[in-house]
Amino acid sequence: MTATRTFWIRISPQGCVTGSALGDFIGPLVEDAHKEFTPRVADRRREAAEGWRHELIGRAEWQRRAEPCLRGLCGHRKAAAS
């Protein structure tokens, strides 16, 4: 992977990254990423109201923020469950 590679991440209202996709395969807009992760309009509206977010980040930030969540090593899920 190159240092310029970007990733769209899907972030729950609790701050946990629950999905990731290469930025090269999704459009440049947040709406493009949301459509990729959540195809149905009604579901996207509900998620937006609930506080779901999508961000385009670089590899170093992906490793710091996304990788622990995607591997189940973050504290977000534990905090949400308690």
Side-chain angles (χ1 to χ4, degrees):
M1 288 190 187
T2 65
T4 59
R5 183 154 284 177
T6 59
F7 301 85
W8 279 105
I9 57 172
R10 173 177 168 77
I11 308 163
S12 75
Q14 295 77 29
C16 190
V17 175
T18 62
S20 174
L22 283 173
D24 294 347
F25 298 110
I26 299 177
L29 304 175
V30 170
E31 292 81 4
D32 297 328
H34 200 179
K35 286 178 187 177
E36 178 70 22
F37 288 108
T38 309
R40 293 185 48 208
V41 173
D43 293 336
R44 288 197 302 271
R45 288 182 182 144
R46 178 186 45 78
E47 288 178 354
E50 292 172 353
W52 287 83
R53 298 179 294 121
H54 301 81
E55 294 180 19
L56 186 62
I57 60 173
R59 175 131 175 95
E61 190 169 356
W62 184 92
Q63 288 176 312
R64 183 177 61 79
R65 290 177 59 198
E67 191 169 18
C69 293
L70 296 172
R71 291 182 182 259
L73 302 174
C74 70
H76 299 110
R77 292 184 183 153
K78 293 175 190 169
S82 57

